[in-house]
């Protein structure tokens, strides 16, 4: 059965790879198209229009297009345009079987494509080219191709479903092995309930993601372009992606080096498999919500009973700040990082509360000794998603270690934490090495913000924890407008009530009835959560800390917004609430049954109110394809090499710049690769500024293997220095350094080791080895 | 014991002395910029540095600028490239052509040496004659006052924790925690670094009028302003003290009237977080009604002490007298309501627990306050006759109507009735609290005659449900309030007003 499933899986995988690699079939070339022109100079080679025609509107219609079968088709366009996204390619309404966006034409001399999702055969379809003066617009080529990606979507879904089923089946198998004699269906109720509740929590928090379009948050545009850049760069065979090729009209942007996009692989693969931008983005949001709910449940279940773990999962998944990160701020990195915070907290909780004493049974010691695994995964997850959250988490882990210094010095505890650090670093080495390499050897725009902004003004108020119903609002900084139309910057009333319950118990002396150990745990978690909460407000003396030293300022300036500490506060408050509920439940079952819904109800109401309020009030855009949303939004442009800034970038498909253009021939730019022939007949070195942003790693290599030096121009672009008398054909491309590749290799090996030393894998291996030894013995 | 003395007497005493000294110290002139050096005649909107490299450290400063201008378009402001928002608290100052001197106040929370005073010139003619930079001891005053208030709050906390000696300590702590929570919740709209600017306030004209009108209710505001708190902090402090008084007095009066801690807690929750009261404070920006409500509660507390406690009768009478006076000063209509409430309570308890002497003394006291307030009314009439105040538009209007004929008397009474009906919404939570406390007392089986104290988590259940039912009512009340407060914070625009210029 297993073999059959595996065979089927690989067969589908092979089909998927076949279709995804299949060459496009051209349906129409430019010369085959039936056109009707209303203005401009239309020749078989090119279509041109400019100011002299004194025309604005659809200057050309391409008619008689037919798509004989459902599929994903692309319109390729080669153009030269003087304006950015003013002129466009428009499509008629009245064809519900075709999904396509009106797409603006970018500035410069470049190429673009528009994808059409055709669900039923269509005849007599047409498109219009719209011109908006001023400036020239020239179309050199327009062709329509069939991409053959249509089956890939269903194949990918099948592969994912099969993987999920495989995981469930392996869990059932494990159960059956553990409870020998019991029928496997006995475990269905538990797993079923667990799965259903995780899905409910994820789906409730995903309600707005089921809208017919993308809800545009503050940074949605940036993340959508990250996905597109990742997908585009993957097609050129670069993995892992370092410089995204789609960014800034193919100037290349090193977002991937600074902002890890490992988790964006899911929407990127979906995009490559033919899903629309909206579909892949919405699936991504729902997946993160499921991941968050699942990780929260698994983590809290390790520390508490099942009902408390469910409560913790709901409380954490529906934290208003988390929802705000999805739908208002669209802070996807922070959102993914939040999914891993419970894992770290629960890992540390177990490390510091469990006893690794030798008089315990062997399993317990092993279990304690293996706590570094969830901790490593937790830290790895945060590192792969959001560096700032990583920084904040590290800060709080240091606080905790200082508080628990006595336990930290225990041999077993120290070993677990040391293993965690080593393992997490090894697993993240592929990302850390290039990041540190760039940060230490070059300067980028993010460093210019040091000392210019204060976290003080980016904090919340003491009133925020008590806001019951967060409405949708886009105001995240209270400096100008106060809390009016504030986005949901709070942990929610349920978690605040949890903290108040702790205060009440502490103040009235109830806590004294508990064990010293439990009291201490509660005090520490309450202190840390209160600290995180205060740090998220403008009450914390951020400005004095920032002014105290340059090092602190650079560390704190990176955080940008003090309210980011709400992520840490949320997970700590959830832990505190769970701990209090568990404490209460251990003594009084009736109280336990009533307090769980008491905490759950406000949290559900707040979440449903927020999501319900969001949908009718937020702008929703149905985006199908990448070029319809442009490629130039880089937020604050933190990763631009200085001295370039967002103001100095050209945002267009440009060519090279030099004082002696005649020395360059056969120039061709294919995304981040440039080929050209150079002949410098002058007495001096000549500089050529190339249309690529300067990042170390680009190499100008001649056919004979010699290289030319590349420098940074005063515009932050790549500057090729051609020595006097040099003549050769050059290829300029990005090639990662050897030590980056080494780091990638180490990470791969570390992952292999990590998986092989896992409980399940080692069991499988042990079983396999035992079986083969037995067979050998039998044969003998 | 030594620690207690330090906390309750020595430290507050020292703070008080320091506060008094800082109040007596005159401002120090830091720098003077003399002469008519800053005179331009251009048509362009330009910025001119009037004084550069100002040596500003943490403290309160005044820029006294003498000038001549013909129109109201020129603005004084401070500039510093390195300062973060919040380092300096000040409002830009528009030069008024009707005056020749303006004082710009600055609260500095950072040490900078490169701050400049800049004039944004938008008119052809402006002449700056002289700029004087003074450092006052305002910041020190604020600091010592805050310390003093902190000690006062500690003292109040101690009194609350010692309120009923028969109780177990945790019970007192529960009450204290509950009251603190109520106070915090009632102050939610104050926990920002700005003032909510409601429609009716319209740039704080109402508040400014209230502040500048020299009636007694604005004296605390005047005091805070004199202590050099930024204007918005003055208003916030006033609102905070109103809330504090309401929480405490509602608890004390009802706990005392019903001889029951639970009743006090219920009443405190219902009254403090009542929407009409908060609407009046935060949306209408009117502190008078809330102050009058506090006066009403104080009167009730005085009555309850007079009725049930044989000890310290003078203290109780004083409380009643003070409560009635505060109510009258704050709102005459509320005063009438308070009189009605107090008289109803006295009559009710007189029939239940006849004590002729106490009732008589109460009526005498009420009459005395009424006479005193009448005297106050006469003063207002005199001021109105001289044209110094215009009370016809306000609540005093009905009292100043000529009472020469029966019809005019009827007219005045009609107006009074309308006012009472208008104010009724503010007292309605009080009546609701009375009803609830009555039901609660019957539910848990204690009566006025039974002096035994009952804690709020008493499990006894009567015809109107157990203690849990009342807890649920309070929780729902709190949730409704939180919705209101959240809505207020998330919709109302923000105004940062530090100075009165």
């Amino acid at each position: 059965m297993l073999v059959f499933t595996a065979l089927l899986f690989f067969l589908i995988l092979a089909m998927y790879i076949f279709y995804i690699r299949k060459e496009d079939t051209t349906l129409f070339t430019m010369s085959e198209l039936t056109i009707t022109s209303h203005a401009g100079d239309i020749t078989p080679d090119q279509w041109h229009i400019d100011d002299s025609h004194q025309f604005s509107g659809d200057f050309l219609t391409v008619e008689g297009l037919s798509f004989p079968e459902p599929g994903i088709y692309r319109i390729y366009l080669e153009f030269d345009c003087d304006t950015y996204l003013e002129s466009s390619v428009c499509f008629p309404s009245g064809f519900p079987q075709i999904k396509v966006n009106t797409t603006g034409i970018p500035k410069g001399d470049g190429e673009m494509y528009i994808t059409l999702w055709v669900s039923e055969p269509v005849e007599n379809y047409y498109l219009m080219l719209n011109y908006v003066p001023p400036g020239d617009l020239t179309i050199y080529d327009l062709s329509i191709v069939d991409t053959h990606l249509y089956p890939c979507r269903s194949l990918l879904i099948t592969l994912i479903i099969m993987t999920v089923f495989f995981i469930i089946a392996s869990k059932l198998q494990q159960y059956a092995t553990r409870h020998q004699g019991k029928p496997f269906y006995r475990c269905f109720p538990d797993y079923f309930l667990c799965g259903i509740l995780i899905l409910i929590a994820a789906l409730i928090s995903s309600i707005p993601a089921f809208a017919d379009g993308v809800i545009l948050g503050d940074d949605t545009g940036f993340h959508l372009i990250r996905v597109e850049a990742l997908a585009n760069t993957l097609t050129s065979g670069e993995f892992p992606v370092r410089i995204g090729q789609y960014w800034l009209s193919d100037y290349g942007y090193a977002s991937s080096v600074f902002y890890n996009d490992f988790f964006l692989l899911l929407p990127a693969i979906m995009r490559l498999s033919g899903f629309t931008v909206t579909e892949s983005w919405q699936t991504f949001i729902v997946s993160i919500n499921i991941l968050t709910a699942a990780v929260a449940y698994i983590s809290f279940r390790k520390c508490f009973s099942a009902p408390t773990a469910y409560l913790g999962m709901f409380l954490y998944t529906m934290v208003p700040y988390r929802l705000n990160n999805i739908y208002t701020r669209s802070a996807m990195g922070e959102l993914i990082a939040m999914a891993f915070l419970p894992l770290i907290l629960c890992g540390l909780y177990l490390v510091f509360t469990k006893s690794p004493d030798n008089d315990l049974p062997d399993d317990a010691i092993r279990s304690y000794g293996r706590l570094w695994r969830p901790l490593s995964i937790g830290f790895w997850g945060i590192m792969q998603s959001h560096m700032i959250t990583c920084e904040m988490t590290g800060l709080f882990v240091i606080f905790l270690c200082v508080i628990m210094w006595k336990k930290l010095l225990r041999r077993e505890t120290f070993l677990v934490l040391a293993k965690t650090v080593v393992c997490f670093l090894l697993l993240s080495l592929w990302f850390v090495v290039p990041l540190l390499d760039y940060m230490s050897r070059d300067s980028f725009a993010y460093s210019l913000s040091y000392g210019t902004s204060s976290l003080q003004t980016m904090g919340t108020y003491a009133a925020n924890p008590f806001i019951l119903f967060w409405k949708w609002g886009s105001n995240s900084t209270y400096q100008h407008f106060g809390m009016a139309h504030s986005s949901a910057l709070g942990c929610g009333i349920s978690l605040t009530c949890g903290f108040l319950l702790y205060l009440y118990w502490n103040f009235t002396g109830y806590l004294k009835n508990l064990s010293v150990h439990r009291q201490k745990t509660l005090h520490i978690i309450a202190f840390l959560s209160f600290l995180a909460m205060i740090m998220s407000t403008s009450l914390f003396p951020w400005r004095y800390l920032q002014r105290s030293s340059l090092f602190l300022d650079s560390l704190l300036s990176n955080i940008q917004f003090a309210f980011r500490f709400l992520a840490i506060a949320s997970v700590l408050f959830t832990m505190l609430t769970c701990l209090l509920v568990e404490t209460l439940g251990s003594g009084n079952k009736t109280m336990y049954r009533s307090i769980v819904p008491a905490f759950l109800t406000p949290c559900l109401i707040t979440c449903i109110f927020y999501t319900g309020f969001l949908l009718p009030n937020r702008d929703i855009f149905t985006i199908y394809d990448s070029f319809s949303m442009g490629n130039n939004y880089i937020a604050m442009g933190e990763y631009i090499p200085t001295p370039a800034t967002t103001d100095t970038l050209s945002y267009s498909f440009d060519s090279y710049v030099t004082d002696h253009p005649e020395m360059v021939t056969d120039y061709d730019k294919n995304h981040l690769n440039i080929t050209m022939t150079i002949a410098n007949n002058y007495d001096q070195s000549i500089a050529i500024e190339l249309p690529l942003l300067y990042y170390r790693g680009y190499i100008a290599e001649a056919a004979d293997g010699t290289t030319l030096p590349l420098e940074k121009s005063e515009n932050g672009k790549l500057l090729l220095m051609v020595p006097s008398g040099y003549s050769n054909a050059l290829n300029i491309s990005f090639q990662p350094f050897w030590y980056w590749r080494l780091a990638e290799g180490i990470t791969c090996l570390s992952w292999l080791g990590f998986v092989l030393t896992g409980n399940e894998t080692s069991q499988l291996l042990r079983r396999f080895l035992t079986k083969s030894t037995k067979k050998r013995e039998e044969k003998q | 014991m030594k620690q207690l003395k330090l906390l309750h007497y020595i430290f507050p005493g020292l703070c008080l002395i320091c506060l008094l000294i800082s109040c007596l110290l005159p401002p120090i002139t830091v720098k003077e910029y003399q002469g008519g050096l800053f005179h331009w005649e251009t048509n362009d909107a330009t910025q001119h540095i009037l004084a550069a490299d100002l040596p500003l450290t943490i403290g309160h400063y005044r820029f006294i600028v003498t000038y001549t201008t013909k129109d109201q378009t020129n603005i004084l402001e401070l500039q510093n490239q390195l300062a973060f928002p919040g380092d300096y608290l000040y409002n830009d100052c528009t030069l008024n052509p009707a005056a020749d001197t303006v004082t710009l106040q600055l609260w500095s929370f950072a040490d900078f040496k490169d701050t400049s005073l800049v004039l944004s010139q938008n008119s052809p003619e402006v002449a700056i004659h002289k700029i004087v930079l003074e450092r006052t001891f305002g910041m020190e005053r604020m600091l010592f006052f805050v310390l003093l208030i902190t000690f006062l709050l500690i003292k109040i906390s101690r009194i609350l924790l010692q309120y009923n000696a028969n109780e177990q300590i945790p019970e007192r702590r529960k009450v204290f925690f509950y009251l603190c929570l109520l106070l915090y919740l009632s102050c939610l709209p104050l926990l920002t670094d700005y003032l909510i600017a409601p429609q009716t306030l319209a740039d704080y004209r109402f508040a400014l009028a209230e502040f500048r009108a020299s009636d007694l209710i604005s004296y605390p505001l005047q005091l805070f302003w004199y202590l050099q708190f930024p204007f918005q902090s003055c208003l916030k402090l006033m609102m905070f003290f109103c809330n504090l008084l309401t929480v405490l007095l509602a608890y004390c009066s009802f706990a005392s009237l019903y001889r029951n801690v639970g009743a006090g807690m219920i009443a405190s929750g219902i009254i403090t977080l009542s929407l009409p009261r908060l609407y009046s404070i935060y949306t209408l920006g009117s502190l008078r009604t809330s102050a009058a409500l506090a006066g009403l509660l104080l009167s009730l507390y005085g009555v309850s002490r007079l009725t049930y406690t044989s000890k310290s009768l003078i203290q109780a009478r004083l409380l009643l007298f003070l409560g009635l006076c505060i109510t009258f000063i704050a709102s005459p209509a509320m005063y009438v309501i308070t009189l009605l409430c107090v008289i109803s309570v006295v009559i009710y308890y007189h029939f239940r627990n006849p004590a002729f002497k106490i009732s008589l003394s109460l009526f005498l006291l009420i009459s005395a306050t009424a006479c005193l307030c009448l005297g106050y009314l006469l003063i207002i009439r005199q001021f109105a006759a001289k044209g110094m105040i215009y009370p016809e538009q306000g609540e005093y209007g009905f009292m100043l109507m000529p009472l020469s004929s029966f019809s005019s008397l009827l007219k005045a009474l009609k107006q009074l009735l309308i006012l009472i009906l208008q104010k009724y919404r503010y007292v309605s939570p009080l009546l609701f609290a009375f009803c609830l406390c009555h039901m609660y007392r019957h539910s848990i089986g204690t009566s006025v005659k039974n002096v035994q104290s009952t804690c709020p988590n008493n499990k006894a259940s009567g015809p109107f449900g157990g203690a849990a039912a009342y807890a649920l009512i309070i929780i729902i009340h709190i949730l409704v309030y939180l919705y209101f407060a959240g809505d207020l914070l998330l919709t109302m625009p923000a105004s940062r007003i530090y100075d009165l210029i």
Side-chain angles (χ1 to χ4, degrees), chain B residues 201-221:
Chain B
L201 260 175
D203 293 332
Y204 293 90
R205 261 177 284 162
F206 189 86
L208 290 174
E210 189 165 69
F211 179 62
R212 283 178 173 156
S214 299
D215 56 10
L216 285 172
I217 206 72
S218 66
Y219 275 26
L221 271 176

Side-chain angles (χ1 to χ4, degrees), chain A residues 17-27 72 74 76 145-149:
Chain A
I17 293 167
F18 168 74
Y19 276 112
I20 216 160
R21 293 178 67 88
K22 196 174 175 184
E23 292 261 319
D24 296 346
T25 312
T26 307
L27 297 181
I72 299 169
R74 265 188 194 147
Y76 282 95
V145 300
D146 183 358
T147 59
H148 306 295
L149 283 173

Side-chain angles (χ1 to χ4, degrees), chain B residues 2 21 145 310 313 315 348 351 377 395 404 423 436 445-446 488 490-491:
Chain B
K2 267 184 182 177
I21 292 169
F145 181 75
S310 50
L313 281 177
Q315 215 177 44
Y348 175 75
F351 281 110
L377 189 68
E395 287 185 11
S404 52
K423 296 285 174 187
L436 268 182
T446 54
L488 200 73
L490 296 178
T491 50

Side-chain angles (χ1 to χ4, degrees), chain A residues 48-53 55 80-83 87 131-138:
Chain A
H48 174 81
I49 188 166
D50 55 40
D51 296 337
S52 65
H53 295 95
F55 183 85
D80 188 358
C81 184
D82 285 351
T83 51
S87 300
Y131 167 74
V132 177
D136 292 6
L137 170 64
T138 310

